[in-house]
């Protein structure tokens, strides 16, 4: 709060989160009455923030760059897999795989701050994550029932913004050329549920669903006072890719 930062070149504030989940759950049972179950649940609820604090003054000979990013570690997908099998005169199996991501990514200039001078002020928040949930279940017996459920959910928020009462390019003898504020979410969710049953009396059910309900927001808060030589651009972009596959036999 109340800091004053002056740089002959760039001022850069950055935060990056790299996430990897690899969870496997396996269950099996054999007997007169074989009951097999496997449940795998992964929950990710992190917060990644890059910001300048309240009433901060920034003066840069180059750019002011405030960037927050959340991504998968080494570009890989986070995975949850469950597999269950049961065999016997009575065979019952259930397999459940759930991946739930409600993380938040924020890049912002806090309330009452002043950006005296900069070539470009860029405030940017990005989320690029991939998740995969797979449930496999099988049962065999005189009476055989197999069920598989797979779920993948994104419900987080990606935001880039100026809070209220931010000033830019208004200091005497200084200038700001551009203000660029952007938020983007390019995440994908994929699920697969496969259930099988074999017997004199048999039944199998598979249910897979992928849900992306993330919020993407970019804005300039109330009572801002911004004077630039060239461009002010505020943008929010969301690209949802959800796939679900259910196979029951």
């Amino acid at each position: 709060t109340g800091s004053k930062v002056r740089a002959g070149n760039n001022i850069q504030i950055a935060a990056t989160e790299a996430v990897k989940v690899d969870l496997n759950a396996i269950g099996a049972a054999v007997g007169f009455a074989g009951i097999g179950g496997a449940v795998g649940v992964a929950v990710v609820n992190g917060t990644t923030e890059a910001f300048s604090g309240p009433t901060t003054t920034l003066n840069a000979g180059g750019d002011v760059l405030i960037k927050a990013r959340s991504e998968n570690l080494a570009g890989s997908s986070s995975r949850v897999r469950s597999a269950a099998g049961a065999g016997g005169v009575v065979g019952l199996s259930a397999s459940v795989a759930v991946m739930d991501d409600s993380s938040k990514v924020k890049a912002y200039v806090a309330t009452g701050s002043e950006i005296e001078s900069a070539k470009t002020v860029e405030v940017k928040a990005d989320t690029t994550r991939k998740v995969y949930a797979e449930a496999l279940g099988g049962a065999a017996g005189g009476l055989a029932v197999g069920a598989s459920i797979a779920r993948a959910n994104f419900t987080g928020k990606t935001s880039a913004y100026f809070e209220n009462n931010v000033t830019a390019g208004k200091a005497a003898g200084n200038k700001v050329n551009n203000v660029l504020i952007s938020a983007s979410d390019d995440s994908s969710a994929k699920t697969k549920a496969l259930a099988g049953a074999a017997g004199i009396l048999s039944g199998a059910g598979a249910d897979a669903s992928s849900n992306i309900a993330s919020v993407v927001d970019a804005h300039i808060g109330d009572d801002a006072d911004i004077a630039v030589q060239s461009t002010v651009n505020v943008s929010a972009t969301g690209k949802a890719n959800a796939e679900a596959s259910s196979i029951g036999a």
Side-chain angles (χ1 to χ4, degrees):
T1 301
S3 298
K4 295 183 178 181
V5 181
R6 181 181 294 272
N9 200 348
N10 298 333
I11 296 173
Q12 182 166 340
I13 302 167
T16 301
E17 177 188 46
V19 176
K20 182 176 182 179
V21 175
D22 194 352
L23 175 62
N24 295 282
I26 299 173
V30 178
F32 179 83
I35 301 175
V39 178
V41 178
V43 177
V44 179
N45 183 25
T47 298
T48 306
E49 292 185 302
F51 63 94
S52 64
T55 64
T56 294
T57 301
L58 303 175
N59 189 304
D63 300 328
V64 172
L65 306 172
I66 301 174
K67 298 182 179 183
R69 180 172 178 81
S70 181
E71 60 190 4
N72 288 107
L73 183 64
S76 61
S77 295
S78 290
R79 296 177 180 270
V80 178
R81 305 179 190 89
S82 67
V89 176
V90 178
L92 305 174
S93 94
S95 179
V96 178
V98 177
M99 179 72 198
D100 192 354
D101 191 328
S102 57
S103 299
K104 299 175 180 64
V105 182
K106 304 178 184 179
Y108 62 95
V109 176
T111 299
S113 294
E114 180 176 11
I115 303 168
E116 293 180 337
S117 176
K119 291 179 180 178
T120 293
V121 177
E122 184 175 16
V123 180
K124 184 176 183 179
D126 288 322
T127 299
T128 305
R129 288 224 278 251
K130 299 177 182 179
V131 301
Y132 178 68
E134 181 181 61
L136 306 175
L143 172 61
V145 179
S148 296
I149 299 172
R151 298 281 187 272
N153 301 302
F154 276 112
T155 57
K157 185 174 184 179
T158 303
S159 50
Y161 53 95
F162 282 1
E163 289 189 338
N164 297 338
N165 299 298
V166 171
T167 302
K170 299 292 290 186
N174 293 279
K175 64 182 181 180
V176 172
N177 290 339
N178 304 290
V179 170
L180 309 177
I181 301 173
S182 66
S184 66
D185 187 340
D186 189 13
S187 296
S188 63
K190 184 177 181 179
T191 56
K192 180 180 181 180
L194 174 62
I200 297 172
L201 295 174
S202 64
D207 183 14
S209 70
S210 298
N211 177 49
I212 298 179
S214 304
V215 175
V216 185
D217 170 64
H219 68 272
I220 294 175
D222 295 338
D223 299 318
D225 191 356
I226 298 170
V228 301
Q229 304 300 305
S230 183
T231 301
V232 174
N233 191 347
V234 181
S235 65
T237 305
K239 298 179 181 179
N241 181 21
E243 300 179 31
S245 174
S246 301
I247 303 172

